Amino acid sequence: MTSEIKKIIEKPELSRDEIIMLLSVDSEAESQLIFEKAFAIKNHIHGSKIYLRGLIELTNKCLKNCYYCGIRSGNKNATRYELSEKEALQAAVLAWEQGFGSIVIQSGELKSEVFASKIERLLQQIHHKTNNELSVTLSCGEQTLDTYKRWVVAGAHRYLLRIESSNETLYYKIHPNDQMHDFQTRLQALHDLRTAGFLVGTGVMIGLPEQTIAHLADDLLFFKNFGVDMVGMGPYLEHHETPLFEKNHLLWSESTRFQKSLLMIAILRIMMPHINIAASTALETLNPLGRQKGILAGANVIMPNVTPLEKKINYDLYDKKPHLYNDTEKIVQAAKQIRDTNFLNGG
Ligand code: 5AD
Ligand code: SF4
C-alpha cells in the first residue's frame, strides 16, 4: 500500500480512483507521505512564503437559509450587525499598516442596490487610503453579472464563492431546494465571476453529513476542471441552532474531519501546484495548530480576522469559532508568527 501511495503522488495527473485511494488513507505514515509531497510542491512553486489576507466580516445579515450556517436568515437568535463604511475602512487600513498585501471582505448574501453601492464606495476608498497597495478579495455571495463588473471596475481583484459541494444531490441536502438556493445558479455565478474579470476562488466543506470520499474526490476534480485560481475549504463544524445539527449522529469524528481536510489540501496541491490554497480558520477549531498543519499539507494562505472584536463575535457560522474573544492585535501577531516560521527546518 505504501509503495502504491508513493507511486501515485509522483504522477502528473491523478485519476478519480487514485484520488479516492489517497483520500482513503488512514495511517499516519501514509498521510505524512502525501503531506510531505504537497509541502515540497508548494515550496518549489511558491517558495517558503505564506500570504496573509486580513479578513473583514462586513455583515452577518444574510438573505439565505443554508442548513449548516449559524447566521442563516432563519436563525432568529443571531444578533445582526453591519460595519459602517468607516469601520470597514479602518479595518482595511489596519491590515495595510500591518504590512498585509491583501484583504478579504466577506458578508452574508445581500442583493440590494444599497449593498452593491456600499461595496463599490468601500473599494474606492480602500484603494485611495492605501495608495492602491492592497489587493482586495470579495466574498459576498451570488450577485448579478452587472454587480460583479461594477466591483471589478471599483478595484476588487478576486472573488471567493464556495460551491460548498459540487454534488447536486448533496448540495440540496444542505440547502433548501428553492430558487434562492439553486445549484445551477451557483455554478453560473462562478462563470459570471470569471467573465466579469475576477480571479475566481471556490471551495467545499469537508465531513458534511452523508458526504462520502467519492464526493470529495469529485470536488477536487471539479476545482481542476473549472481551473480555479484559489481554494478555501475546511471541515464542516456543527452549529446547534441549524437544521443540519439534527444529522450530527451521521458525522465523522472531529479527528477524521480534520485529517480528511488536510488530505484534501494536500491532494489539491499535488493536482494544482500553482493555485492559492487557504488554511481555513475552521481547521483551527479542530486543532490549535490547525493552520500550521494546513501549511505543512501544502496551503500557502492564511486569513487572520481583522474585524473589530465587538462585531465579529456575532459572525457565528459554527460553534466554537476560534479567536472569537481575541483582539485584533493578538490575532495579527499569531498570524505573523506562522508566516515567519521556518517550516523547512521543521517549524
Ligand atoms: N461549518 C463549516 N463551515 C461553514 N461555513 C458556513 N457554515 C459552516 C459550518 N457550519 C462556511 C461556508 C461558507 C463560508 C463563509 O463559511 O463554506 O461559504
Ligand atoms: Fe448566508 Fe453564507 Fe451562511 Fe449561507 S453560508 S446562510 S449564504 S452566510
Side-chain angles (χ1 to χ4, degrees), residues 142-161:
E142 292 162 29
Q143 305 286 340
T144 62
L145 178 58
D146 185 52
T147 301
Y148 296 144
K149 285 181 178 164
R150 277 169 66 187
W151 290 347
V152 168
V153 170
H157 304 97
R158 303 181 173 91
Y159 205 101
L160 275 174
L161 185 73

Side-chain angles (χ1 to χ4, degrees), residues 215-230:
H215 288 140
L216 293 173
D218 288 335
D219 289 336
L220 293 176
L221 288 166
F222 172 83
F223 302 151
K224 174 101 183 172
N225 291 337
F226 187 84
V228 290
D229 302 290
M230 52 193 176

Side-chain angles (χ1 to χ4, degrees), residues 62 64-66 68-69 71-73 107-109 164 315 317:
C62 185
K64 279 197 167 170
N65 221 352
C66 309
Y68 45 85
C69 177
I71 61 170
R72 59 203 296 272
S73 60
S107 71
E109 194 167 301
E164 314 294 0
Y315 207 87
L317 300 173

Side-chain angles (χ1 to χ4, degrees), residues 136-207:
V136 183
T137 302
L138 294 178
S139 183
C140 302
E142 292 162 29
Q143 305 286 340
T144 62
L145 178 58
D146 185 52
T147 301
Y148 296 144
K149 285 181 178 164
R150 277 169 66 187
W151 290 347
V152 168
V153 170
H157 304 97
R158 303 181 173 91
Y159 205 101
L160 275 174
L161 185 73
R162 289 187 175 183
I163 189 73
E164 314 294 0
S165 168
S166 64
N167 179 282
E168 190 163 355
T169 308
L170 183 58
Y171 188 88
Y172 286 121
K173 286 186 178 169
I174 61 170
H175 298 98
N177 192 343
D178 63 21
Q179 230 187 345
M180 198 188 278
H181 301 81
D182 185 68
F183 182 71
Q184 294 304 330
T185 305
R186 195 148 189 96
L187 285 179
Q188 186 59 46
L190 288 172
H191 289 282
D192 288 349
L193 284 164
R194 184 170 279 167
T195 306
F198 279 111
L199 292 171
V200 180
T202 188
V204 293
M205 285 175 286
I206 298 152

Side-chain angles (χ1 to χ4, degrees), residues 9 28 30 52 77 79 110 115 119 122 157 162 169 179 200 208 210 217 221 224 238 252 299 303 314 317 326 336:
I9 59 179
E28 190 67 29
E30 282 171 342
L52 300 187
N77 292 330
T79 306
L110 297 174
F115 183 71
I119 297 284
L122 188 54
H157 304 97
R162 289 187 175 183
T169 308
Q179 230 187 345
V200 180
L208 288 160
E210 301 179 79
L221 288 166
K224 174 101 183 172
E238 53 274 46
W252 293 338
M303 292 166 36
N314 292 313
L317 300 173
N326 276 351
K336 283 187 173 175

